[in-house]
Every structure is written in structure tokens, then in C-alpha cells.
Amino acid sequence: MQLGVIGLGRMGGNIARRLMRAGHQCVVFDRSADAVKALAGDGATPATDLKTLVAGLTAPRAVWVMLPAGGPTEDTVNALAGLLSPGDIIIDGGNSFYKDDIRRAATLEPKDLHYVDVGTSGGVWGLERGYCMMIGGTKAAVDHLDPIFSALAPGIGTVERTPGRDGRDPRAEQGYIHAGPAGAGHFVKMVHNGIEYGLMQAYAEGFDILKNKDSTELPEAERYTLDVADVAEVWRRGSVVSSWLLDLSAMALAENESLSNYTGSVADSGEGRWTIMAALEEAVPVDVLSTALYARFRSRQEHTFGEKLLSAMRNKFGGHIERPAGG
């Protein structure tokens, strides 16, 4: 299948590479000529602008936009709407706010353009591991794109199958779902990221307690100098708290147990805030998720060992680089 890919950053470039490995054709564009050149070297067809990209695709066209939420995505979707033809599909694979998806789909519908939102999880590891995808849009558009989603998904792999799933949609076991109409994919991904905040905060606070067990505030007999890298490693193996986030934490601690290469200033990319907004609209109490978000705000003023671990996790799974507060 043929796909246009706009935005060749940490995830967009590897999405195109994974698709090409599976035999799909990609026409690619990015503001960075070097990024386009790199993908062309891997077999993609380069485009110099949006018009060239659209011209390089055969109808019905499908274009995957992998850009930061807000202005960059909005401007690109609007530009594509003026270049594409009836029956074509615009895919937003970034982390857009789900209400923006609903609005965009309604705007594109009179032009007979399909809009599909894909909440995409996998970070910088997706090329090899595959991407977990939560998809919103019409059944016809999502079904048409199934070869793309199937190639990007991780597949069943070595994950043990869940008992009692007979007769249910098999795509979930492959690592992707059609969550519902426009916006549903990004809504599910938004909550996924809100939960991620809470899980990361729990690990961060736990390891902060472990790290500070040698505090002089404690009676001498109660002080332990714990090897937190070894604790993380042993918890990976058979423990009820094992997870990929713990794997990444263990990796960071093995590289530098003090985490001195991280300041502990932890950014938030929007989805955590949106999850809290959704909870307020639904009158759902989210004590853990809201506290995890507030902890990130506080981390930009004072930094603990736990917050350094948060920064380390974000860097390991998503390639997120620390920036100064307000930067």
C-alpha cells in the first residue's frame, strides 16, 4: 500500500521505515531536507513540499501527519484539505486534542475527505517493537487502512494471550483497535498518557524512598545504603510491579545510578492536562493522575531523585530531552 508521511522526527521517520520494511511505499516530506534525504536513502520517495507529496500518491490517497499537536498539525491538515481529492484520507498520528479531531472531521466531511485519528504509542522503540495504536474514524476509512495498521502494530509476539477473548475483535491482540468515531482514538491515547503519568510518578516516589534510606535523619540502625539499580533489576524479574517503564528505569540506573545526567525538571506534553479536564467534565475523581500532573509542575522549581528518574523514563521511551523551566 502507498502512504504519504509528513513529519520525519523521532516517530514519523521510523513509522515510514517500518512500513517500508513490510513492503509498503512511502512518499515523505519534512521541513528538514536532511530528514527527507535520510528516508530517501532508506527507499522512500522524497517530496519537496505538500503539493509534491500529494502529486506522488495514487488515488485514493492516504497521508499520515506526524507533527506536534496544535498549530503545526492544524496548518498541515488545512493545507492538505486544499490539495486532496474526494475519497482521500488524512491521518493524524500525533497527540492532538480529541475535540480538535471531532471538529476537523466535521469540516472535511462536506469535501468527502476522510479524517482518521491515531493515538500512537511506542516512542523511539517503535521501529523494532511496533506501535500500539488507538484509532478513531469511520469504519470504511479505518478498514481501508488496515494493511498500514497491521504492519505498524507489534503483533501478538510473546505476550501471553488473555483467557476469554474468543469471538472478540482480533486486532486488539495484534496491538491496535478501532476505538470509535473521529476523536475516539486520541481520547483513548489521552487517557493512556494520563495513566502513564501516574505509573511513572509511583515508580519515581518509590525509588526516591529507597534512595533516601541512608538519610542522617534516621536512626543509624535503620539506615540502609541500597543499590537502587539492583532493586530495579530484581523487580523486573517475576515481580508484580514489573513493566516496560521499570525496564527503562533499570536501564537508566544501570547507566548512572545517581542520575546526575538529569536535572529532574519534568515537562508535560498536554495529554495529562487534557485527561484531568475530561475527568472534570465527567465528574470522575482522579486523585493519582492529578497529583502526578501537579508533581511535574513542582519539579520545575525543585528537583528530587524521583524526578530525575521521571526525566530518565521520558528520555528512554520517547527521546524527550530536558528543557529548562519555561523553555
Side-chain angles (χ1 to χ4, degrees):
M1 190 170 177
Q2 194 183 42
L3 182 72
V5 180
I6 300 171
L8 307 176
R10 291 189 299 262
M11 291 182 68
N14 281 344
I15 282 172
R17 290 184 178 94
R18 186 171 175 90
L19 288 173
M20 290 188 293
R21 287 183 181 182
H24 297 283
Q25 299 176 321
C26 291
V27 181
V28 301
F29 171 68
D30 191 280
R31 290 186 302 176
S32 167
D34 289 341
V36 175
K37 184 178 179 180
L39 264 294
D42 290 332
T45 300
T48 54
D49 53 28
L50 297 185
K51 187 175 181 179
T52 307
L53 180 137
V54 170
L57 298 170
T58 303
R61 304 169 186 85
V63 182
W64 185 300
V65 180
M66 201 67 180
L67 296 170
T73 294
E74 189 76 19
D75 293 345
T76 302
V77 169
N78 289 339
L80 287 172
L83 295 170
L84 295 172
S85 303
D88 292 346
I89 304 171
I90 298 174
I91 307 159
D92 178 6
N95 280 326
S96 290
F97 186 39
Y98 78 99
K99 292 185 181 181
D100 289 336
D101 295 316
I102 297 170
R103 172 180 51 77
R104 290 174 192 150
T107 300
L108 295 172
E109 186 176 13
K111 300 180 180 182
D112 197 23
L113 294 174
H114 303 284
Y115 181 88
V116 174
D117 54 286
V118 182
T120 311
S121 181
V124 296
W125 300 81
L127 177 60
E128 303 299 335
R129 291 171 57 105
Y131 299 90
C132 172
M133 291 167 290
M134 299 133 269
I135 306 161
T138 64
K139 184 179 185 303
V142 174
D143 287 352
H144 175 75
L145 295 168
D146 192 74
I148 295 295
F149 299 138
S150 178
L152 290 174
I156 290 179
T158 59
V159 178
E160 187 174 337
R161 303 187 75 170
T162 301
R165 282 200 55 86
D166 294 345
R168 302 185 69 89
D169 189 339
R171 292 176 294 184
E173 286 189 317
Q174 298 296 324
Y176 66 109
I177 59 169
H178 182 193
H186 278 149
F187 182 80
V188 175
K189 176 59 162 48
M190 176 189 79
V191 177
H192 163 284
N193 283 23
I195 292 171
E196 178 186 291
Y197 280 35
L199 291 172
M200 291 172 69
Q201 187 65 28
Y203 283 124
E205 292 178 8
F207 276 92
D208 216 351
I209 295 170
L210 294 170
K211 185 68 173 176
N212 286 285
K213 186 55 177 169
D214 61 357
S215 169
T216 56
E217 299 287 324
L218 297 170
E220 187 172 355
E222 297 178 12
R223 298 176 202 165
Y224 307 135
T225 301
L226 298 170
D227 188 321
V228 290
D230 281 358
V231 172
E233 187 63 30
V234 76
W235 282 356
R236 293 181 61 215
R237 304 179 184 281
S239 164
V240 72
V241 299
S242 60
S243 72
W244 187 36
L245 287 172
L246 182 61
D247 294 345
L248 298 175
S249 299
M251 187 186 305
L253 290 166
E255 292 169 356
N256 180 353
E257 188 175 345
S258 71
L259 301 179
S260 57
N261 47 329
Y262 297 96
T263 66
S265 178
V266 187
D268 67 286
S269 53
E271 300 90 339
R273 301 186 191 209
W274 298 337
T275 302
I276 305 308
M277 289 164 54
L280 290 171
E281 292 173 354
E282 299 168 16
V284 173
V286 285
D287 305 55
V288 171
L289 305 192
S290 57
T291 300
L293 177 64
Y294 298 150
R296 293 195 178 197
F297 296 163
R298 186 192 51 74
S299 77
R300 296 160 209 171
Q301 299 173 357
E302 52 180 303
H303 316 310
T304 66
F305 179 81
E307 280 145 9
K308 291 182 180 181
L309 187 60
L310 286 176
S311 287
M313 281 187 270
R314 293 185 82 245
N315 176 256
K316 289 297 181 186
F317 70 69
H320 301 290
I321 306 300
E322 285 185 340
R323 291 178 174 82

